Amino acid sequence: MAISGDDYLVQRGKQIAQKKRIVTYIGLVSFGGSMLFGGVNTIKQAWEKPQQPIVQSAETELQKQVKGYELVLQREPNNQVALEKLSIIRLQSGDTKGAIALMERLVKLHPDRQDYQTVLANMKKGMGESDRP
């Protein structure tokens, strides 16, 4: 019994469609299994290890930064970055006198930096205005 060309193409098309369905089902089962496995592992980890509070107060973080910059300045008293950052933190925390002292050190170390001189002048100006009744 000979198969005609049209019958062969129809039969071959059905075989290809069947193989596509099989591959699609295997892919869906694999994807679903991996999603289920990942979800189960995530839930298991969350169940075994309760979450610790991650939020820290801003003051605690600032205190850590202050201590870090002070340690750097103990090792390197003329560290420009540490002096800048520490003066900014002190100014933000309300320690204007401490910030001015650090900026004066920066101006002495780098007399060519006009921005340091300007910031120092503004700090002193602000300090003078806050002292007035």
Side-chain angles (χ1 to χ4, degrees):
M1 178 165 152
I3 300 178
S4 70
D6 290 334
D7 290 338
Y8 172 76
L9 291 176
V10 170
Q11 188 178 18
R12 185 71 179 144
K14 288 180 183 178
Q15 288 175 345
I16 291 173
Q18 185 179 13
K19 288 179 183 178
K20 284 182 182 179
R21 277 193 298 270
I22 291 171
V23 169
T24 302
Y25 292 139
I26 290 172
L28 287 173
V29 168
S30 299
F31 178 73
S34 66
M35 292 296 291
L36 183 64
F37 181 73
V40 168
N41 273 343
T42 302
I43 292 170
K44 182 181 172 186
Q45 287 176 356
W47 186 268
E48 289 175 355
K49 184 174 72 172
Q51 288 184 346
Q52 299 171 354
I54 299 174
V55 179
Q56 296 178 353
S57 70
E59 290 180 15
T60 306
E61 189 63 34
L62 279 177
Q63 292 300 326
K64 287 181 182 178
Q65 288 179 359
V66 167
K67 287 180 184 179
Y69 290 129
E70 287 174 348
L71 286 173
V72 169
L73 289 174
Q74 285 176 0
R75 288 179 292 183
E76 304 172 41
N78 297 333
N79 186 306
Q80 183 178 359
V81 174
L83 287 169
E84 281 182 25
K85 299 294 184 180
L86 190 56
S87 67
I88 291 169
I89 291 172
R90 286 198 176 155
L91 187 63
Q92 289 174 345
S93 64
D95 182 12
T96 309
K97 289 182 181 180
I100 288 174
L102 292 170
M103 285 306 294
E104 286 174 343
R105 260 172 76 185
L106 277 170
V107 169
K108 286 179 186 175
L109 291 171
H110 304 281
D112 56 324
R113 294 279 305 259
Q114 185 63 36
D115 56 336
Y116 289 160
Q117 295 172 8
T118 304
V119 169
L120 179 60
N122 289 340
M123 283 181 177
K124 287 182 177 180
K125 182 179 174 185
M127 180 87 166
E129 289 176 0
S130 65
D131 288 343
R132 293 181 192 161

